[in-house]
Amino acid sequence: MNDTPRIRTVLSCTLLAVTVTAGAGACSGTDGHPLSTKPYDAAEQVSFSAPADGRKADPNKALEITAKGAEGRITDVTVVDATGHHLAGELTADGRLWRSTGSLMAGARYTVRVSVEDDDGAPGTRTFTFETAPAKRALTVEFGPEAGKYGVGQPITADLSLPVKDREARAVVERALKVRSSPAVEGSWHWVDDKKLHFRPKEYWPTGAAITASANLAGVKVGDKLYGGESKPLTLTIGDRIEAVADAGSFSMTVRRNGEVIKTMPVTTGKPGFSTRNGIKVVLGKEYYVRMRGTSVGIAEGSSESYDLPVYYATRVTWSGEYVHAAPWSVGSQGFANVSHGCVGMSTGNAAWFFETVRPGDIVKTVNSIGDTMDPFGNGFGDWNLSWDKWRQGSALVADTKSAAHQPDPSRLRPLV
């Protein structure tokens, strides 16, 4: 009785072994499953819209791959450029047509791999390469300021070689403009006009930050027949946090370094009719000697307000001619009255100290003046006079956040980050 189960077990194992052997024989034979065979060359089964005679493809036109004849269908398509990034596309449900949905890069080389299957399910492949023509119109970016060390208020500028007005095109450009800071900051681009953008953080740059600005626009489609070109990156470093506050009400200036008061000095600011602008300005540059004339700011020569003076230790804060500078002729009024034509005047010794202490990008703020507020743009860097919410409204990406949340961006930037 104990032998019967043992015999049945042996017989079952024998039958199983036969079954596995038969299956293995089927897989190695010529009549096996189609997927077990080497893919055939599908050159005669598919056609491409890209030129086949060595000519370069028009990057403005979509790439199309079509299954020829009634036999077989396309099962998969990958299109990859020389940097390894994929071109997006869609395949019809019947496998007859694949069409790119992303934009081709200009001046790029692509490798296309197409997988097909015939009516019997046997797989085929086809690989080919093509190049796109270079852009006839190239949009380049010039970053500013020049490489160097700056104060915590220095914006990054991006000057475009061509105007960009369309919102979608602006979004493509803005996505390609990268600003990296160590330590990291929250920041945003702001479109000043059709050809200029400024980037600033939410708060002032951290002391000691290392900043790199770059454009990943090369070959990227921006708009109709407009593609990005090569642009040179920019590297900056940030020094101490220097903030000077000129109080027109108390006729004094207080200077802080990294939050600590390092000097307070008497000053004079603009008198009525020539009041110094309120608000935050950024040091634009320093000039040891400047000849200042009233005619440069619209004062008629020979009038009661006319002047023509040699000025030393002049630290510029607006393009229109507002400086922090030595004013030895008004020392008697400094600390007591506002008598200048809009500049912040101080003694020669204090002006020399200020001149040596600050650098471009440092903050100079005027408070309690009866003058207008510093314009955000056009007369220097008044960027910090906009609240963070208003600043972000100048970004093409923030303005289109709602629609972007529901629609994938068809453009592709290089490299992806």
Side-chain angles (χ1 to χ4, degrees):
M1 294 178 64
N2 292 335
D3 292 339
T4 303
R6 184 177 302 167
I7 294 172
R8 289 176 180 172
T9 301
V10 172
L11 289 175
S12 298
C13 291
T14 303
L15 291 173
L16 177 60
V18 172
T19 302
V20 171
T21 303
C27 290
S28 61
T30 57
D31 296 330
H33 193 281
L35 293 179
S36 67
T37 61
K38 181 179 179 180
Y40 62 85
D41 184 359
E44 301 300 322
Q45 197 171 340
V46 292
S47 62
F48 311 94
S49 61
D53 55 1
R55 292 181 294 116
K56 297 182 186 297
D58 183 351
N60 283 290
K61 296 181 179 179
L63 176 66
E64 293 186 350
I65 301 172
T66 307
K68 296 193 297 184
E71 297 180 359
R73 68 187 187 93
I74 300 169
T75 57
D76 186 51
V77 176
T78 59
V79 184
V80 186
D81 68 16
T83 63
H85 295 94
H86 290 251
L87 177 68
E90 293 181 347
L91 180 64
T92 57
D94 60 4
R96 306 300 301 171
L97 173 67
W98 182 95
R99 191 176 191 276
S100 62
T101 55
S103 298
L104 287 165
M105 307 260 311
R109 179 180 178 85
Y110 286 93
T111 298
V112 183
R113 294 179 176 86
V114 185
S115 297
V116 301
E117 65 179 15
D118 63 17
D119 286 344
D120 296 325
T125 61
R126 170 65 166 144
T127 300
F128 76 101
T129 61
F130 72 96
E131 295 182 4
T132 55
K136 294 181 180 180
R137 297 172 64 219
L139 179 72
T140 58
V141 182
E142 182 177 355
F143 291 106
E146 296 181 354
K149 194 169 188 177
Y150 292 85
V152 297
Q154 180 64 51
I156 306 297
T157 62
D159 291 306
L160 307 181
S161 60
L162 296 168
V164 178
K165 299 180 180 181
D166 179 75
R167 176 180 290 182
E168 292 184 5
R170 285 188 171 191
V172 172
V173 171
E174 197 172 330
R175 286 190 183 94
L177 302 182
K178 306 297 180 183
V179 177
R180 294 176 174 85
S181 171
S182 179
V185 298
E186 179 183 0
S188 174
W189 288 101
H190 185 107
W191 286 81
V192 178
D193 56 39
D194 294 341
K195 295 182 67 176
K196 182 183 287 290
L197 300 88
H198 285 190
F199 182 97
R200 52 155 271 208
K202 182 178 181 180
E203 307 293 343
Y204 295 143
W205 294 105
T207 297
I211 304 164
T212 300
S214 60
N216 300 330
L217 265 177
V220 174
K221 185 174 183 179
V222 176
D224 184 30
K225 299 181 181 179
L226 177 62
Y227 290 79
E230 296 287 348
S231 299
K232 184 179 179 180
L234 170 69
T235 300
L236 304 178
T237 56
I238 301 299
D240 289 334
R241 178 168 173 158
I242 302 293
E243 300 170 86
V245 179
D247 189 333
S250 63
F251 320 108
S252 66
M253 173 180 275
T254 301
V255 182
R256 289 178 172 82
R257 177 186 285 120
N258 300 326
E260 180 183 351
V261 175
I262 57 175
K263 195 172 183 68
T264 299
M265 46 199 157
V267 300
T268 183
T269 65
K271 59 187 174 181
F274 300 91
S275 299
T276 305
R277 297 170 183 82
N278 280 299
I280 301 171
K281 302 145 196 172
V282 173
V283 172
L284 301 174
K286 300 189 294 183
E287 302 164 57
Y288 171 70
Y289 166 78
V290 179
R291 184 178 177 183
M292 293 190 179
R293 301 178 179 88
T295 53
S296 65
V297 292
I299 298 174
E301 187 174 358
S303 68
S304 60
E305 297 293 347
S306 177
Y307 59 88
D308 187 344
L309 297 168
V311 175
Y312 294 89
Y313 300 111
T315 300
R316 182 188 284 269
V317 293
T318 72
W319 297 125
S320 63
E322 186 178 320
Y323 289 83
V324 178
H325 64 76
W329 55 84
S330 65
V331 168
S333 298
Q334 293 165 18
F336 302 98
N338 293 320
V339 298
S340 83
H341 288 87
C343 293
V344 176
M346 57 187 63
S347 69
T348 300
N350 284 336
W353 177 89
F354 188 81
F355 188 90
E356 295 298 330
T357 300
V358 302
R359 60 166 49 94
D362 285 337
I363 299 299
V364 177
K365 183 178 181 180
T366 301
V367 298
N368 297 322
S369 171
I370 61 174
D372 295 333
T373 299
M374 172 72 172
D375 290 332
F377 311 108
N379 194 21
F381 294 127
D383 306 49
W384 300 98
N385 294 298
L386 290 179
S387 69
W388 180 238
D389 286 342
K390 288 185 177 180
W391 179 267
R392 293 179 72 247
Q393 289 173 13
S395 165
L397 301 181
V398 173
D400 202 26
T401 298
K402 292 183 179 180
S403 60
H406 301 286
Q407 297 180 1
D409 177 31
S411 64
R412 181 190 51 72
L413 306 181
R414 181 175 64 180
L416 296 175
V417 294

